[in-house]
């Protein structure tokens, strides 16, 4: 037997791994077997005792008849009713056998010397007992003193044994047939009654496969009224499941409405903030270019106002982009050369942070993907900016690009301190910021990686992180253009 076969055999022998149908069928069959065996055993034992009492009465009657008017052995001594036409009669007087008769149907014979010796040594008395006589089998035999002689009478047990064996065979046969009928009928009935429970499980499985984390979710799955009868246990389960689905659907609807309101608010606020921010930036720049003398403190303040308005404008643009992506607005779709795009982004990163080591690992042939060029450039730029911001000077950052079947893998790897384990699960969430383990050289909005994730998903791709001290890799997987 193979290892898998042994494992399956062990799991089958372990009732904890059985299905509910199997457990119920096994319980019904086991209960039927116990009751049938107990009843059959009692019936066979009672029948055997009844037949034994009857033959004992016949043996006692034969002793009385054997000691009739003509003395011991003078009775008719004929075949005894209930004995099947077979009997034995032995009379001893003064140590000698005066009567030795063995009847079998119409044949009358005598017991052999060995058989007579066996009877004399059996310790017989007036109470019948079973004695095995060589050549004859088991006999029910009794003895009594009558008129100075010892009378021994007996009847064979073969008739009782045949009846008991026949009844026992009938019981075994009917038990086996009953087990088969109970197993098949019980399985059919149990499966029929558990069918609503299977529909409950099927409905729950369908709901479990739905995407419930975001967006509008319609829970149309419900159990029919026939499976929600509160008078039955299965119906109570079905009714509870329907009530739970109604509650979940209401909660999901409320969550979606709340998310929609928040997204709309963010989009509207971001859109409305763009104009005043542009005005603030413009007035600050205009004030700095004033020909009249301006105190140095005012010039510094205006420079800071322009810098922060520029930073705030970037934040607003990021929030507006995320709001549009959340709303499901389609992006442009055109062939984009990721190789050229990666070269431009790395060149910009080198200019922004010359104290880092920037490297490129590109294939010989250009790699194209369908998508929005500006948004994909933002993905690469954000990944490089993340590496530049959260790693110390001298860190080596390698941007690689590979085509893998129908997908393209863009990876940004650095040998910096790595992303803390406590942050790795939420690194792509909005406003997620690093702690002291990845020191920031400049300000961070906490939206860069969330934009990478949102843009990648809007292009039908995904983003992943593999980080440990000395090795951090952000991987973006996108559908590739046909070769």
């Amino acid at each position: 037997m193979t290892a898998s076969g042994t494992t399956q055999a062990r799991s089958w022998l372990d009732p904890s791994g059985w299905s509910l149908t199997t457990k119920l069928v096994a319980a019904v069959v086991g209960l039927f077997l116990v009751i049938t065996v107990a009843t059959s055993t009692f019936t066979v034992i009672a029948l055997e005792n009844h037949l034994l009492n009857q033959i004992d009465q016949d043996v006692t009657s034969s002793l009385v008849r054997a000691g009739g008017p003509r003395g011991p052995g003078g009775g008719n001594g004929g075949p005894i009713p209930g004995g099947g036409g077979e009997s034995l009669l032995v009379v001893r007087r003064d140590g000698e056998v005066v009567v030795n008769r063995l009847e079998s149907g119409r044949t009358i014979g005598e017991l052999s010397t060995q058989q007579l010796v066996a009877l004399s040594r059996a310790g017989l008395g007036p109470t019948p007992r079973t004695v095995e006589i060589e050549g004859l089998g088991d006999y029910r035999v009794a003895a009594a003193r009558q008129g100075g002689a010892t009378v021994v009478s007996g009847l064979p047990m073969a008739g009782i044994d045949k009846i008991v064996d026949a009844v026992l065979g009938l019981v075994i046969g009917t038990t086996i047939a009953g087990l088969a009928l109970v197993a098949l009928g019980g399985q059919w009935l149990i499966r029929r009654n558990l069918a609503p429970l299977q529909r409950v499980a099927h409905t729950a499985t369908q709901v479990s496969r739905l995407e419930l984390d975001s967006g509008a979710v319609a829970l149309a799955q419900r159990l029919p009224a026939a499976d929600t009868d509160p008078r039955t246990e299965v119906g109570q389960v079905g009714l509870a499941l329907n009530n739970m689905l109604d509650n979940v659907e209401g909660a999901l609807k409320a969550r979606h409405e709340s998310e929609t309101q928040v997204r709309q608010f963010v989009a509207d606020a971001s859109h409305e903030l763009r104009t005043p921010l542009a005005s603030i930036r413009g007035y600050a720049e205009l004030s700095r270019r004033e020909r009249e003398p301006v105190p140095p403190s005012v010039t510094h303040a205006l420079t800071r106002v322009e810098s922060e308005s520029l930073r705030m404008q970037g934040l607003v643009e990021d929030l507006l982009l995320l709001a549009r992506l959340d709303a499901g607005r389609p992006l442009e779709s055109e062939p984009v050369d990721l190789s050229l795009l990666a070269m431009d982004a790395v060149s910009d990163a080198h200019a922004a942070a010359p104290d880092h080591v920037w490297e490129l690992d590109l294939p010989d042939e250009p790699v194209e993907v369908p998508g929005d060029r500006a948004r994909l450039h933002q993905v690469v730029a954000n990944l490089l900016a993340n590496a530049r911001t959260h790693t110390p000077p001298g860190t080596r950052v390698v941007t690689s690009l590979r085509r893998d079947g129908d997908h393209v893998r863009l990876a940004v790897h650095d040998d910096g301190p790595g992303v803390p384990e406590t942050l790795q699960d939420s690194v792509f969430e909005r406003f997620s910021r690093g702690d002291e383990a990845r020191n920031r050289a400049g300000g961070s909005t906490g939206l860069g990686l969330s934009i990478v994730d949102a843009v990648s998903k809007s292009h039908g791709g995904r983003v992943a992180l593999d980080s440990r001290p000395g090795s951090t890799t952000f991987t973006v997987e996108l559908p590739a253009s046909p070769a």
Side-chain angles (χ1 to χ4, degrees):
M1 182 181 294
T2 62
S4 59
T6 304
T7 303
Q8 292 178 355
R10 290 178 180 175
S11 62
W12 175 251
L13 294 176
D14 183 12
S16 61
W18 294 357
S19 64
L20 181 58
T21 300
T22 303
K23 289 181 180 179
L24 291 176
V25 171
V28 171
V29 172
L31 183 61
F32 172 81
L33 182 60
V34 170
I35 294 177
T36 303
V37 170
T39 304
S40 302
T41 302
F42 174 78
T43 302
V44 172
I45 293 176
L47 176 63
E48 187 177 17
N49 290 334
H50 174 73
L51 295 176
L52 197 59
N53 289 334
Q54 186 178 13
I55 199 172
D56 286 349
Q57 293 176 4
D58 292 342
V59 170
T60 303
S61 299
S62 69
L63 284 176
V64 175
R65 289 196 301 271
R70 290 177 289 177
N76 53 26
I80 299 173
E86 298 182 358
S87 64
L88 65 85
L89 180 63
V90 177
V91 179
R92 292 177 181 273
R93 188 187 299 276
D94 298 331
E96 295 183 1
V97 177
V98 296
V99 177
N100 181 3
R101 184 170 59 189
L102 176 64
E103 293 189 9
S104 178
R106 297 182 180 181
T107 302
I108 300 177
E110 294 183 349
L111 297 173
S112 65
T113 302
Q114 293 180 349
Q115 293 172 342
L116 292 173
V117 172
L119 286 176
S120 63
R121 293 178 178 177
L124 301 174
T127 302
R129 60 182 299 180
T130 302
V131 177
E132 182 179 0
I133 301 176
E134 185 179 357
L136 299 178
D138 292 337
Y139 269 68
R140 197 69 173 171
V141 185
R145 294 285 297 177
Q146 297 181 3
T150 301
V151 181
V152 178
S153 178
L155 294 174
M157 296 282 292
I160 294 179
D161 294 339
K162 289 181 180 179
I163 294 175
V164 172
D165 291 343
V167 172
L168 187 60
L170 179 62
V171 167
I172 293 175
T174 54
T175 300
I176 295 175
L179 281 175
L181 291 176
V182 168
L184 295 177
Q187 187 176 20
W188 179 77
L189 287 174
I190 291 172
R191 285 185 174 179
R192 180 180 179 183
N193 286 278
L194 290 182
L197 192 59
Q198 293 179 347
R199 290 192 287 271
V200 170
H202 178 68
T203 302
T205 301
Q206 286 183 321
V207 174
S208 67
R209 293 173 179 172
L210 296 176
E211 297 291 339
L212 306 178
D213 55 344
S214 62
V217 179
L219 293 180
Q221 291 79 4
R222 291 295 188 278
L223 290 170
D227 295 338
T228 57
D229 188 354
R231 296 173 297 178
T232 63
E233 289 80 1
V234 177
Q236 293 173 6
V237 175
L239 183 61
L241 179 62
N242 277 356
N243 292 336
M244 183 187 69
L245 292 178
D246 291 338
N247 189 20
V248 171
E249 185 177 28
L252 291 175
K253 183 178 180 181
R255 185 263 299 162
H256 177 63
E257 292 177 353
S258 176
E259 288 182 352
T260 302
Q261 292 177 356
V262 172
R263 291 191 185 113
Q264 188 63 39
F265 169 76
V266 172
D268 293 343
S270 300
H271 182 75
E272 294 298 329
L273 285 174
R274 296 172 72 184
T275 300
L277 284 175
S279 299
I280 293 173
R281 180 185 174 189
Y283 279 116
E285 185 177 356
L286 182 62
S287 299
R288 284 194 303 104
R289 295 180 180 181
E290 180 65 35
R291 295 182 178 180
E292 297 296 331
V294 178
S297 59
V298 175
T299 303
H300 176 73
L302 291 175
T303 303
R304 294 301 303 156
V305 168
E306 185 179 1
S307 174
E308 291 302 317
S309 63
L310 183 63
R311 181 171 178 270
M312 191 172 182
Q313 187 175 6
L315 174 61
V316 169
E317 293 292 341
D318 290 345
L319 289 174
L320 186 58
L321 173 61
L322 289 173
R324 289 174 176 173
L325 293 177
D326 289 340
R329 295 185 183 181
L331 299 175
E332 295 183 5
S333 181
E334 60 179 357
V336 178
D337 188 348
L338 274 186
S339 300
L340 182 60
L341 190 147
M343 293 173 60
D344 293 341
V346 170
S347 177
D348 295 340
H350 184 271
D355 52 357
H356 283 63
V357 179
W358 303 96
E359 296 183 5
L360 268 173
D361 181 11
L362 302 179
D364 296 334
E365 298 294 331
V367 177
E368 288 189 352
V369 297
D372 189 314
R373 181 182 300 274
R375 300 284 79 83
L376 291 176
H377 183 276
Q378 190 172 7
V379 167
V380 183
N382 284 2
L383 291 176
L384 295 177
N386 179 76
R388 180 185 73 245
T389 305
H390 299 291
T391 57
T395 302
R396 178 171 173 264
V397 182
V398 180
T399 302
S400 60
L401 188 62
R402 290 291 183 272
R403 181 173 181 133
D404 185 9
D406 296 334
H407 291 82
V408 171
R409 298 181 185 275
L410 171 70
V412 176
H413 171 81
D414 68 73
D415 56 2
V419 180
E421 292 185 4
T422 56
L423 187 64
Q424 291 184 15
D425 293 336
S426 60
V427 72
F428 295 107
E429 296 180 0
R430 296 171 190 184
F431 300 106
S432 177
R433 299 174 182 270
D435 56 12
E436 290 79 10
R438 287 172 73 90
N439 298 320
R440 295 196 304 268
S444 174
T445 63
L447 295 177
L449 293 180
S450 61
I451 291 177
V452 171
D453 181 59
V455 172
S456 299
K457 290 180 179 178
S458 66
H459 282 79
R462 64 185 185 91
V463 62
L465 168 66
D466 180 17
S467 179
R468 56 186 179 275
S471 177
T472 299
T473 304
F474 285 90
T475 303
V476 177
E477 185 177 291
L478 299 171
S481 298

